[in-house]
Amino acid sequence: MHKLCLLFQTVRYLKPIQLISRIKRRFKKIKFKTPSTIKLNNYKAPWIREELICSSYRRKDIFCFLNQEGNIGTWNNFDQSKLWLYNLHYFDDLNSFEANKRTDFHYGLIERWIDENPPIFGNGWEPYPQSLRIVNWIKYFLSFELPSESVLISLSLQSQILSQDLEYHLLGNHLFANAKAMVFAGCYFKGDESEGWLELGLKVLDQQIPEQILKDGGHFELSPMYHNIILADMLDLYNLAQSYQIYELSQRQNKWKLIIENMLQWARKMEHPDGEVSFFNDSAIGIAPCTGKLFEYAKKLGIKENSSLSNIILKKLDYTYLKDSGYIIVESDKIKAILDVAKIGPDYIPGHGHADTLSFELSLFGQRIFVNSGTGEYGLSEERLRQRKTAAHNTVEVDGEDSSEVWSGFRVARRAYPSQPVINQSEESILISCSHNGYQRLSGRVTHQRLYKFDDENLVITDFLSGRYKFAKCYFHIHPDVEVKNINGVITLTLLNGNKLIILSNQSISIEDSTWHPKFGVSIKNKKLVINMHTEESILTIKY
């Protein structure tokens, strides 16, 4: 009965098109016909090649995805996870660092994929890996020499099949990737069919770009990692428009440029001083390009960083409120705090959301201090679920429940909604207050309110709980490079650069073991501070 309730509370938020598409997919039959001849469009300007990610290739037939090495094998080896196999079929290595040194291998691998993956069997023919592979192949062929006729025929066939299999049942970043592939294929190939692909892709993008990319520049799934993935997609589309100068793309180019500028600003604000993403919702290092590489790509495309986008180190404490996505950044020359006052994600697609409402991350003196636990894996495991739960984040858990009902691998039932934050700034300090209603579903109808007070020497975090509850815990997860000690009841945090922080609280704090997951397939031991809230108010002071 409990699972039925979770399912109902999950399905009720879906859009009708998602439900209808799920039913249609069960009965749909893909029709395809291998093309006999291939014609390509001529591009007007060179494709600007930018390699954004590290190579996944290790040695003969061996690749490393998700920090796990494996063999190509049958391309559908059941010993590997679904996500690992997806990565194998993406062909991201074609456009990774120093790919020009592996061209013979790459062209041979492409031929091998065609021979060993007949349509439409296996992971490689599912629409998401298909979308990424189509784009990767086309970017590669625009960068180096043309492949054989048989390869072009296969690429056209893949595009034909994808055009009938867009992921309307999922929407979000999956549908975006499908549409991007259609635009690439529609530009690359010449003919009536490819013109239809271009029209389809642009129609979907015209709907999805204003919905998925918020006015403040953030991607609506509210994951810094997926934001950078979509930002790279937008840069690729802008690059394509410059190369082909097809009317339908050229008329969208200026609008895309403005969107990219906003997205760059958002990415810059949401990264830590180490240049990598913050860990809100499904985010990990090494999946998406880092922000610095995306800025380099934009610069090559003629999108210059203006003064409002530049990463100026502020001497005086100041804040930025990314209102549409729901994050507040407080920073100065020694502190950067990123506060989550956001929804868990879009109501109809919260699959990459975590129960992290009112959590935060903090860097001091250029080093991460307090970190959410990250994302180490996908799938249906208990560990995947644990990493999504409230206790894996820097926020308050009530009666052992999560602020939003995360369950299964990518599902959310009842979810927390935050209040409008109240921000007050003076000469000496910044005060930020916000609450959420995620625990109102409990019998005691609990509301969690958090107040941050920042000044030049202290951060004070006050948590209030109103309503009835049996117990509550407040968690603060500490980066593994920070040494944690409790000496005579005083907790000190020692940074790699020798700076020390003092932690004070009005309630008792315990230091407990935990794990941090900055990358897929990686688990690093760290410490967390746990406050058992014996009263309705918990006050934590961080003196720096």
Side-chain angles (χ1 to χ4, degrees), residues 344-358:
I344 194 170
D347 278 335
Y348 65 89
I349 180 171
H352 292 296
H354 289 203
D356 60 357
T357 308
L358 301 191

Side-chain angles (χ1 to χ4, degrees), residues 424-523:
N424 292 296
Q425 184 174 21
S426 67
E427 287 280 332
E428 296 81 22
S429 65
I430 297 174
L431 278 75
I432 300 167
S433 177
C434 190
S435 63
H436 75 81
N437 65 359
Y439 297 123
Q440 285 284 310
R441 70 179 190 272
L442 305 182
S443 60
R445 300 190 62 79
V446 176
T447 297
H448 172 209
Q449 181 182 15
R450 173 165 276 186
L451 172 66
Y452 296 92
K453 181 180 180 182
F454 295 87
D455 62 39
D456 287 338
E457 297 180 350
N458 304 279
L459 166 57
V460 181
I461 303 170
T462 305
D463 289 296
F464 303 91
L465 294 178
S466 61
R468 293 178 291 104
Y469 56 94
K470 296 176 183 177
F471 63 93
K473 293 183 177 183
C474 190
Y475 299 93
F476 298 91
H477 298 261
I478 300 170
H479 190 279
D481 287 342
V482 178
E483 182 183 38
V484 187
K485 288 185 178 180
N486 186 338
I487 302 174
N488 299 323
V490 177
I491 293 178
T492 62
L493 307 182
T494 304
L495 282 55
L496 288 175
N497 59 16
N499 283 301
K500 292 183 182 293
L501 315 179
I502 304 297
I503 307 294
L504 304 173
S505 176
N506 69 330
Q507 303 201 44
S508 61
I509 307 178
S510 61
I511 301 172
E512 299 182 11
D513 294 330
S514 188
T515 52
W516 185 50
H517 309 273
K519 298 180 179 181
F520 276 85
V522 172
S523 180

Side-chain angles (χ1 to χ4, degrees), residues 108-282:
L109 189 66
I110 290 168
E111 297 273 9
R112 178 176 172 183
W113 186 91
I114 294 168
D115 291 341
E116 298 178 4
N117 289 274
I120 47 178
F121 169 78
N123 295 285
W125 290 94
E126 293 183 31
Y128 188 69
Q130 203 172 353
S131 298
L132 270 60
R133 184 177 59 256
I134 288 169
V135 171
N136 276 324
W137 283 18
I138 292 174
K139 287 166 62 175
Y140 192 72
F141 301 152
L142 289 173
S143 303
F144 302 110
E145 63 186 55
L146 280 177
S148 65
E149 181 82 1
S150 62
V151 170
L152 293 174
I153 287 172
S154 172
L155 180 57
S156 178
L157 180 62
Q158 292 172 53
S159 304
Q160 179 190 143
I161 290 169
L162 177 63
S163 69
Q164 304 171 59
D165 203 21
L166 303 193
E167 295 174 279
Y168 289 104
H169 63 302
L170 296 178
L171 301 176
N173 69 85
H174 277 243
L175 184 59
F176 199 105
N178 303 156
K180 177 188 175 184
M182 287 290 89
V183 171
F184 265 73
C187 289
Y188 190 66
F189 291 104
K190 188 175 184 178
D192 293 341
E193 187 174 37
S194 59
E195 287 178 6
W197 300 338
L198 178 60
E199 182 181 356
L200 173 61
L202 288 175
K203 179 182 177 181
V204 173
L205 287 177
D206 287 345
Q207 296 169 344
Q208 292 301 309
I209 287 175
E211 180 168 359
Q212 292 197 30
I213 302 171
L214 305 172
K215 290 181 181 179
D216 63 15
H219 183 250
F220 78 153
E221 292 190 59
L222 306 180
S223 153
M225 180 182 80
Y226 278 97
H227 172 89
N228 281 11
I229 290 172
I230 298 295
L231 174 51
D233 288 337
M234 289 298 302
L235 289 165
D236 280 347
L237 288 165
Y238 188 84
N239 193 355
L240 193 74
Q242 286 189 333
S243 293
Y244 279 94
Q245 297 175 20
I246 294 172
Y247 174 75
E248 290 84 356
L249 270 67
S250 298
Q251 68 178 162
R252 293 165 169 82
Q253 202 168 341
N254 286 335
K255 184 184 291 185
W256 287 353
K257 182 178 180 181
L258 293 174
I259 290 168
I260 289 168
E261 288 176 347
N262 274 343
M263 294 185 78
L264 286 166
Q265 184 176 15
W266 195 94
R268 186 74 93 187
K269 284 295 180 183
M270 291 295 292
E271 71 175 358
H272 279 277
D274 61 14
E276 293 287 359
V277 295
S278 48
F279 296 115
F280 296 96
N281 297 315
D282 276 344

Side-chain angles (χ1 to χ4, degrees), residues 342-391:
K343 294 167 55 179
I344 194 170
D347 278 335
Y348 65 89
I349 180 171
H352 292 296
H354 289 203
D356 60 357
T357 308
L358 301 191
S359 68
F360 74 102
E361 292 202 327
L362 176 69
S363 284
L364 280 163
F365 310 107
Q367 182 179 341
R368 297 192 194 218
I369 309 299
F370 291 107
V371 291
N372 291 313
S373 291
T375 303
E377 60 182 72
Y378 280 170
L380 299 176
S381 68
E382 285 298 315
E383 178 60 18
R384 161 67 175 163
L385 181 59
R386 186 195 70 80
Q387 291 171 18
R388 296 181 73 206
K389 294 173 75 65
T390 297

